[in-house]
Amino acid sequence: MSQEEQLLAKLRNPALKDSAFNELLDTYQERLYWHIRKIVITHENADDVLQNTFIRVYKSIQNFEGKSSLHTWMFRIAYNESLRFLEKNNKKGYEILDDFLPKSTSSVAEDAFFHPDEIQQKLHQIIDGFTEKQKRVFQMKYFDDLSFKEISKIINVSESTLKSAYYTAVKIIEEKIFL
């Protein structure tokens, strides 16, 4: 039995659920935080979405069907929670995402939790210019090190479409990074 299967068995056991959930937090919290952070941009928003993600995971673990790995399932929840957060804020009259994203490079550069060098800043500026699909796919593949199969399950898009978006993004970066 794999570590993930053992953890899942403990999570489904009411007597072990709380301690197993702490183990789950220790294992996945940082990776999910950075996955969310790339979508919602700010630390404060990422913390809120991360908390909502783990609440949803805790409440829904009994419904996990095992059609994907636990890791992929949680990334999908985090992705959906991030999008839900952005949509909710758009309805409240906050800036729409397209208006916000071009400013995200400057907010990354000013962020106390992130200290990019010149190349990293240029990379983030280029990524900010991508379409939403290219941006999400590139971030999940490059920064989160997810496979195309995992990304496909997270955002419900075919692997071939993801590969096309990713390699187009890589080509744009290669062309622009050395300008």
Side-chain angles (χ1 to χ4, degrees):
M1 184 181 278
S2 74
Q3 274 188 304
E4 188 172 281
E5 291 170 331
Q6 290 173 355
L7 180 58
L8 189 56
K10 288 190 266 183
L11 285 164
R12 290 184 169 158
N13 180 336
L16 302 173
K17 186 175 183 177
D18 288 341
S19 65
F21 193 74
N22 285 332
E23 184 180 335
L24 183 86
L25 282 169
D26 290 342
T27 305
Y28 294 104
Q29 186 171 12
E30 186 174 346
R31 285 192 73 196
L32 286 174
Y33 168 84
W34 286 108
H35 171 70
I36 293 165
R37 175 77 183 268
K38 287 185 276 303
I39 299 169
V40 300
I41 309 300
T42 68
H43 169 71
E44 293 78 13
N45 292 344
D47 270 351
D48 291 344
V49 173
L50 182 65
Q51 182 176 6
N52 291 342
T53 298
F54 278 113
I55 289 169
R56 190 170 294 265
V57 167
Y58 187 85
K59 289 180 177 180
S60 304
I61 197 68
Q62 297 299 333
N63 301 327
F64 176 66
E65 298 175 358
K67 292 181 181 176
S68 65
S69 68
L70 180 62
H71 169 264
T72 301
W73 180 72
M74 289 190 314
F75 264 76
R76 181 168 182 129
I77 291 171
Y79 179 78
N80 288 335
E81 283 295 317
S82 299
L83 296 182
R84 208 174 279 117
F85 173 85
L86 292 174
E87 186 177 302
K88 178 180 154 187
N89 284 338
N90 286 342
K91 287 181 181 177
K92 286 183 176 179
Y94 291 102
E95 294 175 293
I96 61 170
L97 184 62
D98 291 337
D99 290 341
F100 181 73
L101 285 175
K103 300 177 205 166
S104 66
T105 301
S106 61
S107 63
V108 165
E110 297 165 4
D111 190 324
F113 297 97
F114 184 71
H115 304 288
D117 63 21
E118 189 176 326
I119 295 290
Q120 288 172 321
Q121 282 184 322
K122 191 164 189 172
L123 175 62
H124 285 282
Q125 287 173 338
I126 294 167
I127 292 169
D128 284 344
F130 288 169
T131 65
E132 281 304 304
K133 184 194 306 182
Q134 284 175 322
K135 186 180 300 185
R136 300 295 170 243
V137 171
F138 182 81
Q139 289 172 334
M140 285 186 219
K141 180 72 175 147
Y142 184 79
F143 294 116
D144 296 332
D145 198 28
L146 297 173
S147 69
F148 288 115
K149 184 176 183 176
E150 289 172 312
I151 299 168
S152 174
K153 289 180 180 179
I154 292 167
I155 64 175
N156 204 22
V157 173
S158 74
E159 286 184 55
S160 60
T161 300
L162 295 175
K163 288 177 183 178
S164 176
Y166 178 77
Y167 291 115
T168 299
V170 168
K171 185 175 180 180
I172 291 168
I173 291 169
E174 287 172 347
E175 290 172 355
K176 292 185 175 185
I177 200 83
F178 298 110
L179 291 179

